[in-house]
Every structure is written in C-alpha cells, then in structure tokens.
C-alpha cells in the first residue's frame, strides 16, 4: 500500500503564518504537521509516499530529507500551484505514480491521532473515506450516506446553497483509501480528462462525486467514533488543533480566552447562562429571520427601550437597553469618579476594576447589615450585587429598598443579573412614579435569557438626570438587529421563560446534592443565582491543580475563584447546567478522587 500527500497549495487562509513558512511545517503540540503524517504512515508500513509540492517546495523537501531519511519519499511538482487546485495536483501525481497498489490519499492540512489512520487501514471495504459527524467549526466538502454507510453524494462548498442543511451530513476528513483498480481504471482517467478539458482549479472531490453519482464506484464511509482529528485551514484552526492535541495547555487556553468555546470540546461550568431558554421555537424563528436580519439595521434607541420594557414587563419610562451590562461599567467609572464607593467583597470583577479605590463590606458568604450601615456613612455610592457573584448571597429586595429610602443622598447601584433564579422580586417595582431616584438598577440579560452570544443588558432608573446621562452615552444602533428581533420573539414565550427559571432552581438543588457527595468538596454555599460556590478541602494551589486536571482529563471546565475569597482555601464557582451535564461533572470529580 502506498500514500499520496497533496501539499502544493499556498495556504492563503493561513497567512500571515505561511507567508514565510510552508503550511505543513507549522507545529501543533511541538510537532510539525508533515512529520505527524509521515511518522504515522511509516509506523504502519505504508510506502512509498508521493508528495505533490508547489509553494515553497525546496523548504518542504529539505525538511523531509532531514527528518525522514530512511522513508521512501517521492515528489511530483505542481509548477502551476498558484493558479490550480488540488484536482490538478492529484492528476499530476497519478500520471507519475505506479498505480499497482492501493493508495492512501491524505491532504496536508490534517492533524490526527494514530487510531484515525488505523480506522482507515482496518476497513474491509476496498474504497473508503473517513468521515465525521458535522459540527460547529467545520467547513468544506460533506457527504450523504445510505443506511449501509455507502456514500450517496459528495457535496463540495460550491454545491451548498444558502438554505443547505448540514444536520444529516457528514464531513470528509480528506483521508481516503482507494483501490489500485479504481485509481488506475477510472479515477486517473477522469481526473486527466476533466483537468485537461474543463477545469484545473477545483476540488478532486468533484470528480469523485461524479463517479459516485453515476454509480461507477462504491465508496464506503468509515464514521469516526470519538477519534480525534483537526483540519487547519486558518490560524483559528491552528489554535483549535493546539488545544485538541496539547492537553497540558487546554486550561490556560480556555481561561485566557474568556469565552469563544464553541469550537472547543469542553463542558463549560465556568460561564453562566440559562440552559432552558431560548426554547427551540425561538431558535427556529431566529434562524428563519437571520438572512434578513444580517442585512438590516436595528431601530433607534427609544424603540429598543420600548421593546425591552415589553419583554421584561417593566415600566417603559425606566428602561434603557444596552449591549450587555458590561457596556455600562466604563460609564459608572466616569460618572462616579472621585466619589466614595462601597462594594461587597468578593464580587464580580468589573466593580473592583472600575472602582479600584473603593471600600468594601464583607460577603463571608452572607453580609452583616450592621457593617454595611456603618461603612455606608462614609460612602457616596453603595453597590449591592443581588445575588452576589461568586458567593450566591441573596439579599431581601425589601431590605435594599429600605436602605435606599434611609440614605436618599447616597447613590445605590443594584445589580440584579441573577435575581430571576431566586424568589425575590426586582427592586424596579419600587421605582414607579419617580420613587427611589437614588437607585440605579444594572442587569445583564445574556445570562438570564440564555443568549450570551447576543449582548443584551438593561439599566433602570427613575431619576431624569441619570436617564439623560444614559441616553447621552448610548450610541446610535446600540443593539444589533438580531438582538432586537430576539426581544420581539420572546414576548410570545414568557411562560417558557418563567418555567426555565423554576427548572434552573430545581437543577441548582440537584447540583448542590451531587457536589456535597463529591470527593474534595468541603461545603456548598446556598445560592440565589444559577451557580453555586464550593469550598474545597484543599488549598488554593490544590484547587488550581484540580481545575486543570478536570479540563485535561475529562474536558470539564470550572471557575476557580480562590483568589477572590482571599483566605488561602480552595474555592470554585460552578454554573448550573442540566442534570445530565451535572452528573458528568460529579463523575469527573469522583475520578479525580480528591487526591489533588
């Protein structure tokens, strides 16, 4: 059995990384792409290996000669690599190869674990393609399969229209095993004819798809079952591959990114969101509207405020829509610069960041109102995060209202980003008719509505001066058209939203029970939010070690907040997810065994 590696391309999507380096010489987990491919072939006795070169050919051949001196490697050069595609490279290769053995075809932008190649070689079918179930982050050629696993259609990107559905399709890995008979009698002839007569700047899958369509060949699909692989077309793919194949760096990659996890195979208990909203009906309507929304501007601010007020069922005159609560933190810093600020400690990191000189009152977890009252005597601005993040401490809304009434000269900032998951009402209900003008409510809606990808937040105030400040700071077209349409849609789904809050609270109790029985857990703090705070038996160093091992070994991410608590103990904040996900977390913790 012999191999063919297509490596002629410039790798334009990988620039600037490939501007002065051949694409196959990029490294993933300390090893170049080409070395991984050649080592895998050599270990399995697949030889000779033909490599089609083009861009930076000398650099590639020199590297291969130096690092694989005992491997039978042959080269075919595609001099027209800048104006042709892989169909021409493959046709050239077949013209120069002795097609008396089966051919393993591998494109040169692939990184995979050895058992992927084993899966191909072990197949009992003469003509085989490796495929995987389609998921986020994939692109390129896909296939349809018959119930028996035979490929029935090869669909290149050019044949995928706007309304193309990937739900029942499979992504090709671009790793094939073709029998010598197929290569010699049909594939080689059609490749040569097509490239010489029609087009040299397309994909070889087009020709393969023709043969399958006219039923001249049966290609069986081996569907991967957990085997790990990655295609590296651009720098983002390279980052994903590094995460995939270098477990020791996964935790740092995730925590440095602060999001963007949709292409990472990780179960995320660090970031907080409503797992039960939006329901499928909302997603279906958004999906239907998306093409029009992407081509449309959103409405002016007054209309956005009105739509948000309707969605929240809050008085319209109090509501100011913002692109996520994070938009308002720089405003708070500017508005209250030079003022004496009082914060809970610990709390959400944006508050200490925008008020670095603030005094604090202790959330132990749990606060002492006597301490708050005493410290507030020296404060112009007092912040209540209700429930607090990361402690989960829930304050009675009535007690905050009385505090605001008793301190009319003090600005009271109330952050209610997680209040919906508790039984406490919003303080906004007390702001009607100009009441409590010293209260400013801040609320992140992304977590509550389960759409962190749509940046949504709200400020509420009954004070005309503060309202004017917000209006002055808010840019035109502050929300995207997608976010605006989402607000319109959820009006029809208020019962589902309320149910999602109740279900999340029930899941929070299940998570609490699971964690209390988990090794390494000393205590679980009662919470009013859609997260819980966990005190570990080990110290802060042990907590960091365990969090890293969870990602490396089980693909589970938790939020280590030991540095926020400041007592040297190990503390994690764990988001509420579905019972199934929470069972997986519990199993992962039991696998660690508390021996951190």
């Amino acid at each position: 059995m012999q191999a063919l590696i297509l490596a002629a391309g410039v790798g334009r999507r990988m620039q600037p990384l490939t501007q002065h380096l051949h694409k196959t010489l990029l490294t993933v987990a300390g090893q170049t792409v080409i070395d991984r491919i050649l080592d895998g072939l050599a270990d399995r006795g697949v030889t000779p290996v033909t490599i089609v070169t083009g861009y930076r050919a000398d650099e590639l051949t020199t590297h291969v000669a130096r690092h694989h001196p005992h491997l039978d490697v042959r080269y075919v050069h595609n001099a027209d690599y800048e104006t042709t595609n892989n169909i021409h490279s493959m046709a050239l290769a077949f013209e120069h190869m002795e097609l008396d053995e089966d051919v393993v075809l591998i494109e040169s932008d692939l990184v995979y674990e050895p058992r992927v190649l084993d899966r191909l070689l072990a197949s009992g079918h003469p003509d085989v393609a490796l495929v995987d179930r389609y998921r986020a982050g994939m692109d390129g050629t896909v296939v349809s399969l018959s119930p028996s696993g035979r490929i029935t259609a090869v669909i290149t990107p050019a044949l995928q229209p706007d309304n193309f559905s990937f739900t029942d399709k499979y992504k090709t890995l671009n790793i094939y095993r073709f029998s010598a008979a197929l290569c010699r009698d049909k594939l080689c002839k059609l490749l040569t004819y097509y490239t010489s007569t029609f087009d040299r700047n397309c994909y070889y899958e087009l020709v393969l798809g023709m043969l399958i369509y006219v039923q001249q060949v049966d290609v069986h699909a081996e569907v991967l079952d957990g085997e790990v692989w990655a295609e590296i077309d651009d720098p983002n793919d390279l980052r994903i591959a590094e995460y995939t194949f270098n477990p020791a760096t996964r935790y740092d990659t995730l925590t440095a990114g602060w999001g963007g996890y949709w292409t990472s195979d990780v179960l995320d208990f660090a970031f907080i969101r409503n797992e039960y909203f939006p329901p499928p009906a909302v997603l279906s309507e958004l999906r239907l509207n998306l093409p029009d929304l992407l081509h449309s501007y959103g409405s002016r601010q007054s209309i956005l405020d009105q739509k948000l007020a309707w969605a929240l069922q809050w008085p319209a005159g109090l509501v100011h829509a913002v692109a996520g609560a994070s938009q308002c933190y720089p405003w708070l810093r500017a508005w209250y610069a030079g003022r004496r600020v009082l914060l809970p400690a610990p709390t959400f990191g944006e508050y200490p960041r925008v008020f670095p000189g603030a005094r604090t009152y202790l959330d132990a977890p749990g606060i002492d109102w006597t301490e708050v009252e005493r410290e507030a005597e020296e404060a112009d601005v007092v912040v209540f995060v209700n429930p607090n993040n990361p402690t989960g401490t829930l304050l009675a809304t009535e007690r905050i209202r009385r505090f605001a009434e008793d301190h009319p000269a003090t600005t009271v900032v109330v952050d209610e980003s997680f209040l919906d998951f508790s039984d406490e009402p919003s303080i906004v209900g007390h702001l009607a008719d100009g009441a409590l003008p010293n209260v400013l409510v801040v609320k992140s809606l992304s977590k509550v509505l389960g759409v962190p990808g749509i940046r949504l937040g709200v400020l509420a105030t009954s004070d005309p001066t503060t309202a004017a400040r917000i209006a002055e700071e808010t840019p035109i077209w502050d929300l995207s058209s997608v976010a605006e349409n989402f607000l319109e849609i959820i009006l029809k789904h208020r019962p589902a939203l309320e149910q999602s809050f109740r279900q999340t609270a029930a899941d929070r109790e299940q998570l609490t029970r699971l964690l209390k029985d988990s090794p390494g857990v000393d205590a679980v703090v009662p919470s009013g939010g859609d997260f819980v705070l966990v005190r570990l038996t080990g110290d802060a160093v042990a907590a960091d070690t365990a969090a890293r091992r969870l990602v490396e070994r089980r693909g589970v991410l938790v939020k280590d907040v030991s540095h926020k608590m400041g007592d040297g103990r190990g503390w994690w904040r764990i988001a509420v997810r579905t019972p199934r996900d929470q069972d997986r977390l519990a199993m992962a913790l039991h696998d660690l065994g508390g021996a951190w």
Side-chain angles (χ1 to χ4, degrees):
M1 190 175 299
Q2 60 182 319
L4 169 60
I5 301 173
L6 304 180
V10 175
R12 288 185 176 85
R13 283 192 287 176
M14 190 61 78
Q15 290 182 354
L17 301 183
T18 54
Q19 199 163 359
H20 303 291
L21 186 70
H22 193 276
K23 185 176 182 177
T24 63
L25 301 183
L26 295 170
T27 59
V28 173
Q31 188 176 18
T32 68
V33 175
I34 192 64
D35 288 341
R36 285 177 175 271
I37 295 173
L38 292 176
D39 285 345
L41 293 171
D43 290 345
R44 286 149 186 83
V46 180
T47 184
V49 178
T50 299
I51 301 178
V52 182
T53 63
Y55 177 67
R56 304 183 72 86
D58 291 344
E59 182 178 51
L60 175 58
T61 57
T62 299
H63 176 92
V64 171
R66 179 183 302 123
H67 292 271
H68 304 273
H70 303 298
L71 186 62
D72 183 0
V73 180
R74 306 166 186 185
Y75 298 97
V76 174
H77 186 65
N78 178 0
D80 298 320
Y81 63 88
E82 290 194 271
T83 58
T84 61
N85 212 318
N86 62 19
I87 191 171
H88 181 57
S89 291
M90 189 170 177
L92 283 176
F94 275 10
E95 288 177 12
H96 291 82
M97 294 171 64
E98 296 179 9
L99 299 177
D100 53 356
E101 295 182 88
D102 292 355
V103 175
V104 174
L105 172 65
I106 303 176
E107 294 195 24
S108 63
D109 55 0
L110 296 170
V111 181
Y112 48 86
E113 62 179 346
R115 61 192 184 125
V116 168
L117 192 56
D118 292 338
R119 184 69 178 275
L120 182 80
L121 300 179
S123 176
H125 299 272
D127 299 297
V128 186
L130 292 182
V131 304
D132 204 352
R133 291 165 181 83
Y134 201 91
R135 59 182 181 270
M138 292 181 173
D139 60 6
T141 299
V142 297
V143 297
S144 298
L145 303 184
S146 72
S148 64
R150 181 175 57 84
I151 295 178
T152 57
V154 177
I155 310 161
T156 63
L159 301 176
Q160 300 167 10
D162 292 343
N163 61 347
F164 186 74
S165 174
F166 291 94
T167 54
D168 59 346
K169 306 301 187 297
Y170 293 81
K171 174 71 176 72
T172 56
L173 271 67
N174 301 324
I175 302 178
Y176 301 85
R177 195 187 79 212
F178 295 133
S179 63
L182 172 61
C183 294
R184 182 178 57 249
D185 300 336
K186 295 177 181 177
L187 197 52
C188 179
K189 293 177 181 178
L190 188 53
L191 282 168
T192 301
Y193 175 74
Y194 194 90
T195 54
S196 62
T197 307
F198 295 105
D199 188 9
R200 300 193 306 169
N201 192 23
C202 61
Y203 299 101
Y204 63 80
E205 291 98 335
L206 183 65
V207 166
L208 181 62
M210 291 178 184
L211 291 172
I212 290 173
Y213 180 74
V214 297
Q215 300 182 2
Q216 290 297 301
V217 60
D218 284 338
V219 178
H220 181 82
E222 290 287 348
V223 182
L224 297 190
D225 186 21
E227 293 92 345
V228 180
W229 69 284
E231 184 177 27
I232 49 172
D233 280 332
D234 58 44
N236 289 319
D237 292 339
L238 189 64
R239 181 176 180 271
I240 295 166
E242 185 68 26
Y243 172 88
T244 301
F245 288 91
N246 194 354
T249 67
R250 289 177 186 170
Y251 183 81
D252 289 330
T253 298
L254 293 172
T255 55
W258 284 57
Y261 298 162
W262 54 85
T263 55
S264 301
D265 186 15
V266 63
L267 184 58
D268 176 20
F269 283 90
F271 278 82
I272 306 166
R273 86 283 276 165
N274 186 341
E275 291 290 321
Y276 295 100
F277 200 86
V282 173
L283 297 177
S284 295
E285 191 166 347
L286 274 175
R287 189 179 300 113
L288 176 66
N289 298 338
L290 186 60
D292 289 335
L293 295 172
L294 293 178
H295 288 283
S296 301
Y297 286 92
S299 300
R300 66 184 300 173
Q301 189 64 32
S302 60
I303 295 176
L304 297 174
D305 293 344
Q306 179 70 76
K307 290 181 178 180
L308 182 55
W310 290 336
L312 296 178
Q313 299 181 335
W314 285 4
L318 307 177
V319 172
H320 304 267
V322 291
S326 58
Q327 183 179 14
C328 77
Y329 294 119
W331 300 350
L332 299 179
R333 175 167 49 195
W335 295 347
Y336 304 127
R339 307 281 294 278
R340 299 172 298 174
V341 179
L342 180 65
L343 302 175
T347 194
F348 178 52
E350 286 298 287
Y351 289 106
R353 189 178 72 83
V354 300
F355 301 127
R359 297 169 63 88
T360 61
Y361 60 90
L362 180 64
D363 183 354
I367 73 167
D368 181 348
W369 276 100
T370 302
E371 179 193 6
V372 174
E373 293 283 357
R374 182 177 66 252
E375 295 293 337
E377 294 177 0
E378 304 295 326
D380 304 308
V381 179
V382 176
V383 176
F384 296 107
V385 182
N386 192 34
N388 194 16
N389 175 12
T391 62
T393 296
L394 180 66
L395 306 177
T397 298
E398 177 61 23
R399 184 65 183 84
I400 299 176
R401 184 196 66 79
R402 292 204 312 270
F403 179 89
E405 275 190 345
D406 294 343
H407 300 80
T410 301
T411 297
V412 179
V413 177
V414 184
D415 188 322
E416 293 185 344
S417 295
F418 306 101
L419 190 66
D420 300 87
F421 302 102
S422 75
D423 294 328
E424 287 293 324
S426 171
I427 200 171
V428 171
H430 297 286
L431 303 188
D433 302 321
L436 298 180
N438 59 325
V439 171
L440 174 63
V441 178
V442 178
K443 187 178 184 68
S444 168
L445 295 173
S446 301
K447 306 170 183 65
V448 171
L449 300 176
V451 285
I454 300 177
R455 305 302 302 150
L456 276 173
V458 60
L459 298 178
T461 180
S462 63
D463 177 44
T465 301
T466 303
R469 273 182 164 182
I470 297 171
E472 182 180 350
E473 296 283 359
T474 306
I476 191 171
W477 297 311
D478 196 36
L479 298 189
S480 70
S481 57
V482 176
E484 182 178 354
N485 185 235
F486 178 74
L487 293 178
E488 296 169 344
I489 295 172
I490 64 173
L491 272 176
K492 298 173 286 188
H493 298 272
R494 189 76 199 183
L497 181 59
E498 297 293 342
Q499 175 59 28
S500 74
F501 299 151
R502 293 190 292 270
Q503 185 61 58
T504 299
D507 291 350
R508 181 180 62 211
E509 299 310 308
Q510 185 239 16
L511 176 61
T512 298
R513 292 192 298 271
L514 287 173
L515 291 172
K516 284 181 177 179
D517 293 335
S518 295
V521 173
D522 182 50
V524 182
V525 179
S527 172
D530 55 339
F531 58 88
V532 294
L533 180 67
V534 177
R535 186 176 68 218
L536 305 175
T537 56
D539 60 13
V541 174
D544 176 75
T545 300
R548 292 174 181 276
R549 288 180 179 173
L550 276 177
V551 172
E552 293 170 14
R553 300 179 182 179
R554 298 304 301 267
V556 175
L557 177 67
V558 297
K559 179 73 171 180
D560 184 0
V561 294
S562 304
H563 64 288
K564 285 180 174 287
M565 304 306 291
D567 59 358
R569 299 288 300 272
W571 295 84
W572 287 347
R573 187 200 68 194
I574 300 178
V576 176
R577 294 186 63 97
T578 65
R580 180 179 178 180
D581 290 344
Q582 292 171 177
D583 286 340
R584 179 175 161 186
L585 169 66
M587 291 178 60
L589 292 174
H590 278 279
D591 285 348
L592 287 186
W596 302 341

